[in-house]
Amino acid sequence: MDGLKAVAHDVYHEIEQTLYREARLICDERLRDWLDTMVDQEILYQAVSRQLRVRKDTRYAAKDHVNIFNENYHYLAMRVTQSESPMQWTADPREIVRHFINNLEVYEGEKPGEYRVFTNCLVVRNRRIYEEMTYSYSRKDVWRRDAKGQLRLVKRLSEVDERFMRGKNLNFIL
Amino acid sequence: MIDAASLVDVKNGTQAKSIFWDEQIYQLELERIFDRCWLFLTHDSLIPNPGDFTTAIMGEDEVIIVRQINGSVKAFLNVCAHRGTRVCSVEAGNTRSFTCTYHGWSYGLDGSLQAVPFENEFYKGVLDKSTHGLTEVRAESYMGFWYGNFDKTAPSLYDYLGDYRFYLDVWMDSTGGAELIGPPTRTLLNCNWKTPAENFVGDAYHVGWTHAASLSVLGGELTAMSGNKMVPPDGAGTQITTRFGHGLGILTNAGPALLSGPVGELARKWYAENRPKVAEKLGKTRGGYYGSHFNSNVFPNNSYLWGTNTFKVWAPRGPRSIEVFTWGIVEKNMPDEVKEAVYDMATRTFGTAGMLEGDDADNMESMTQLNRGRQIRKGRLNSQMGMGGDKVDEESGAIIGASAVGETSYRGYYRAYREFLMAESWDDLLKADPDAWKREFLGK
């Protein structure tokens, strides 16, 4: 199937638990823990929005997607530090970013100890008194075992479904 | 009936809060500002070839901008002349025609109605195709930036920009022109369209406080301002306003102010290399401005930041919400490596997940939504900072403020806003002598 090799059930279960843990750390605002324990130093963390085009249009040369995130470890760490600032007014009072993760598929990656992980995500974000917004997107991840056997996120590409983003911004970990 | 004159007090630098809420005022804005002013459409770099097109929003009207076979550019309302359906439901592309999905009426790149299914069988000669083309919208460009105007009596784009071009040219012309990087992001904000426009036209005051957290980690020159720990010193910059409300703020030498590390080094090197060339081309003053941070707004709703390299349109959707379009803006002759680095940084700061983008949104939304309250809505907004220090700049013809932080450009924006709302027509607007606005602004 697509040349993808499914993983054994125990690995599938391990990845599933890892994704849930990640979602819990984000919801609990433990972004430093997330960065330290779940993110690889070689991370490429991307999210895109796609411009709407005619399907058969092959003559228009301009790229059809725009980056929302295009971060390496350095910049992800910068964002985490920003979130910890007592002067980050947008996050005080606190926001709640709750992930609902579905349609999990896990396959062997290019190297041993690497896994390709596909998910669908729904995020409900609550902030201030009157704001609740939802975001639907797909994730294509690569997770890899580090020297200690711990799974770490090496690559994430999120594609956000909504072209006109009613949730105003994506200032959270997707 | 709206008393437009009372909405802005030019002499005292205040505005009525109702301008961020009231439906009747909004309808007057659509008629007297968006029906009259030059509104941003696209840039040459996004439609380089014949048949290339993008779509845009002028006021609340959807338009198509398309490169013609002969290389010229035309703009049209995105609506079929038959039953009023969209003729283009995508955002950009390359095409030979625009065909309505309802009954299949098809229009050429020049907007002419080319084909009507079963024309002979069903219309039997009663349909005059020559009068059923797409409705054309006046379009003109400056330095490759295309703007549209619904008013045939409006001055040219060149004259509309007027003295503002003195500053626009610093970045748009200096090193061989600018280009936009698309596609744009498109987001909703529940704010009045003027709240971001006034912020971009002239608010250096909020930077150290609203963005305290992001500045503290980004690591460029502006980090020192985080949490208002530093007052910009004398000579740190200025604020500028012009005839039709276009304005900007300049933070001297702070072009890469939000760029730390290797990106900052790349940008600083590029600016240092090019500054002497800009000084040679545009003179000493503007050579000094090049490489500085510009916050700017072309009246009414087209904002950009040079140095942070973001370019935006705040398209109104009623008085209390907007669609934000965001592109990257770079100098055409920057090496690809520099372009990519500064564009990445623009995404990181003012994109959909921009480290500063979200900070501003809360301010703009509460400035708008609180006016639900009758008592709050009766109040006035204050933009008096720097009053008394403004003067005419002899070299550019614009009015400039005395320091980097002040509200000169706010006052100029709303002076023009009031003039547009009160005027019956462009003829009415152009009756006064070209310096009358300066006397009004300076209270002389």
Side-chain angles (χ1 to χ4, degrees):
Chain A
M1 188 182 61
D2 306 336
L4 296 169
K5 185 166 177 258
V7 295
H9 192 268
D10 59 335
V11 175
Y12 181 94
H13 179 71
E14 186 187 3
I15 298 257
E16 186 178 38
Q17 291 298 304
T18 301
L19 295 178
Y20 293 161
R21 174 164 187 265
E22 182 189 27
R24 179 167 53 83
L25 291 184
I26 293 167
C27 195
D28 291 348
E29 298 186 295
R30 292 168 60 190
L31 299 187
R32 183 63 60 185
D33 285 351
W34 170 73
L35 190 71
D36 288 348
T37 65
M38 305 194 81
V39 179
D40 193 277
Q41 293 281 337
E42 291 178 19
I43 182 80
L44 177 60
Y45 181 92
Q46 295 177 306
V48 299
S49 168
R50 262 179 219 290
Q51 188 173 49
L52 300 183
R53 303 269 177 88
V54 170
R55 288 173 190 273
K56 287 181 180 167
D57 185 351
T58 53
R59 293 190 303 269
Y60 187 59
K63 70 181 167 67
D64 74 344
H65 67 277
V66 48
N67 288 339
I68 294 166
F69 283 97
N70 186 28
E71 307 297 54
N72 58 20
Y73 191 87
H74 172 74
Y75 288 113
L76 268 188
M78 197 179 261
R79 287 176 181 273
V80 170
T81 308
Q82 179 186 359
S83 76
E84 292 166 341
S85 165
M87 293 189 291
Q88 185 54 49
W89 317 125
T90 57
D92 197 0
R94 69 161 298 191
E95 300 186 321
I96 300 170
V97 177
R98 194 174 300 282
H99 283 73
F100 298 85
I101 299 168
N102 268 297
N103 300 62
L104 172 64
E105 297 174 69
V106 185
Y107 302 99
E108 298 287 353
E110 286 175 9
K111 295 175 197 154
E114 252 183 35
Y115 306 101
R116 298 179 63 184
V117 178
F118 301 85
T119 46
N120 289 346
C121 296
L122 184 72
V123 164
V124 181
R125 179 164 66 147
N126 271 272
R127 63 189 308 276
R128 302 293 167 107
I129 296 169
Y130 298 111
E131 295 181 38
E132 180 174 271
M133 45 273 249
T134 58
Y135 308 85
S136 162
Y137 54 94
S138 67
R139 290 199 311 212
K140 290 182 185 141
D141 292 355
V142 174
W143 290 77
R144 182 195 292 157
R145 282 191 201 287
D146 66 14
K148 292 179 184 163
Q150 172 86 33
L151 284 167
R152 285 184 181 268
L153 183 63
V154 181
K155 205 169 171 186
R156 170 164 294 164
L157 173 64
S158 303
E159 288 207 34
V160 183
D161 300 338
E162 196 180 31
R163 175 60 179 136
F164 170 59
M165 244 164 273
R166 286 173 180 77
K168 302 191 286 190
N169 60 58
L170 290 166
N171 286 98
F172 58 87
I173 299 299
L174 267 65
Chain B
M1 187 66 191
I2 296 153
D3 176 15
S6 69
L7 298 179
V8 177
D9 183 338
V10 177
K11 190 160 170 277
N12 292 304
T14 67
Q15 303 86 32
K17 285 207 173 91
S18 57
I19 62 172
F20 294 154
W21 182 264
D22 189 280
E23 179 66 37
Q24 282 182 300
I25 295 173
Y26 176 66
Q27 290 303 326
L28 191 68
E29 290 171 349
L30 287 179
E31 177 195 322
R32 300 201 162 180
I33 293 175
F34 289 93
D35 281 0
R36 270 182 201 160
C37 291
W38 287 97
L39 305 170
F40 181 73
L41 300 175
T42 193
H43 186 268
D44 274 338
S45 52
L46 300 175
I47 48 166
N49 301 312
D52 283 353
F53 68 90
T54 57
T55 53
I57 299 178
M58 295 173 60
E60 294 206 40
D61 284 292
E62 295 189 22
V63 294
I64 310 168
I65 308 97
V66 56
R67 178 78 60 186
Q68 303 294 298
I69 301 298
N70 68 4
S72 65
V73 168
K74 285 184 186 290
F76 305 101
L77 292 180
N78 184 6
V79 61
C80 182
H82 177 213
R83 300 302 303 167
T85 318
R86 271 192 195 90
V87 295
C88 175
S89 33
V90 296
E91 301 176 73
N94 181 283
T95 191
R96 294 185 181 94
S97 62
F98 296 99
T99 303
C100 177
T101 52
Y102 197 176
H103 305 96
W105 285 28
S106 185
Y107 302 85
L109 297 182
D110 63 355
S112 61
L113 179 56
Q114 298 285 337
V116 172
F118 303 116
E119 184 186 355
N120 295 331
E121 292 86 338
F122 295 154
Y123 283 100
K124 302 182 196 302
V126 299
L127 179 69
D128 181 359
K129 288 213 309 255
S130 73
T131 59
H132 285 78
L134 297 176
T135 304
E136 189 163 352
V137 178
R138 195 177 160 195
E140 293 179 14
S141 72
Y142 183 71
M143 301 286 176
F145 290 79
W146 286 91
Y147 290 78
N149 196 313
F150 291 128
D151 192 334
K152 288 182 174 57
T153 68
S156 67
L157 174 64
Y158 187 87
D159 288 341
Y160 176 74
L161 294 170
D163 291 335
Y164 185 70
R165 284 183 282 103
F166 181 87
Y167 302 95
L168 201 61
D169 291 352
V170 173
W171 285 98
M172 304 304 189
D173 186 29
S174 53
T175 64
E179 62 186 20
L180 287 192
I181 301 181
T185 57
R186 306 177 66 153
T187 55
L188 170 78
L189 284 186
N190 293 307
C191 67
N192 181 269
W193 63 272
K194 296 183 293 300
T195 59
E198 67 166 42
N199 174 270
F200 275 65
V201 82
D203 203 313
Y205 187 30
H206 81 295
V207 176
W209 191 250
T210 292
H211 304 300
S214 47
L215 295 191
S216 72
V217 297
L218 277 162
E221 286 89 339
L222 288 188
T223 289
M225 285 170 69
S226 170
N228 282 348
K229 283 196 216 73
M230 184 194 83
V231 179
D234 284 348
T238 188
Q239 321 133 56
I240 295 136
T241 189
T242 59
R243 168 76 177 90
F244 295 119
H246 322 308
L248 69 156
I250 297 176
L251 282 175
T252 311
N253 281 329
L258 296 173
L259 314 183
S260 61
V263 185
E265 281 164 36
L266 273 176
R268 284 183 190 84
K269 183 164 164 277
W270 169 258
Y271 298 142
E273 276 169 19
N274 284 281
R275 180 168 287 167
K277 298 179 208 164
V278 176
E280 197 174 316
K281 184 171 180 179
L282 299 176
K284 187 166 160 276
T285 307
R286 289 188 286 177
Y289 290 154
Y290 174 79
S292 296
H293 194 276
F294 280 32
N295 57 276
S296 328
N297 187 72
V298 174
F299 192 90
N301 66 333
N302 172 210
S303 296
Y304 57 88
L305 302 173
W306 271 115
T308 319
N309 298 72
T310 190
F311 189 92
K312 299 198 179 242
V313 167
W314 324 103
R317 297 163 57 88
R320 300 156 205 174
S321 87
I322 62 170
E323 177 164 5
V324 183
F325 290 77
T326 306
W327 295 263
I329 184 169
V330 295
E331 291 164 72
K332 212 177 280 180
N333 287 335
M334 280 176 165
D336 286 347
E337 182 192 25
V338 181
K339 273 185 197 172
E340 281 164 26
V342 297
Y343 177 54
D344 246 4
M345 210 59 208
T347 301
R348 190 167 294 123
T349 49
F350 284 98
T352 301
M355 292 169 68
L356 290 85
E357 179 81 357
D359 298 337
D360 290 315
D362 281 350
N363 297 334
M364 291 157 189
E365 291 194 345
S366 64
M367 286 164 71
T368 302
Q369 299 300 332
L370 282 175
N371 294 302
R372 181 180 303 278
R374 270 172 51 79
Q375 302 308 317
I376 289 177
R377 191 160 75 237
K378 280 190 228 168
R380 304 287 295 184
L381 298 149
N382 182 298
S383 60
Q384 297 175 330
M385 193 190 296
M387 281 183 81
D390 301 326
K391 61 175 190 197
V392 176
D393 181 80
E394 296 304 334
E395 191 178 0
S396 70
I399 286 177
I400 62 168
S403 62
V405 178
E407 288 162 345
T408 305
S409 315
Y410 271 83
R411 293 191 291 278
Y413 182 85
Y414 284 111
R415 190 214 62 80
Y417 171 81
R418 178 177 183 269
E419 192 181 3
F420 273 109
L421 289 191
M422 287 175 68
E424 295 293 332
S425 65
W426 265 109
D427 284 349
D428 203 9
L429 280 155
L430 296 173
K431 255 186 340 214
D433 78 79
D435 286 333
W437 78 274
K438 296 179 191 174
R439 294 192 297 274
E440 181 192 11
F441 187 93
L442 297 170
K444 284 177 183 166

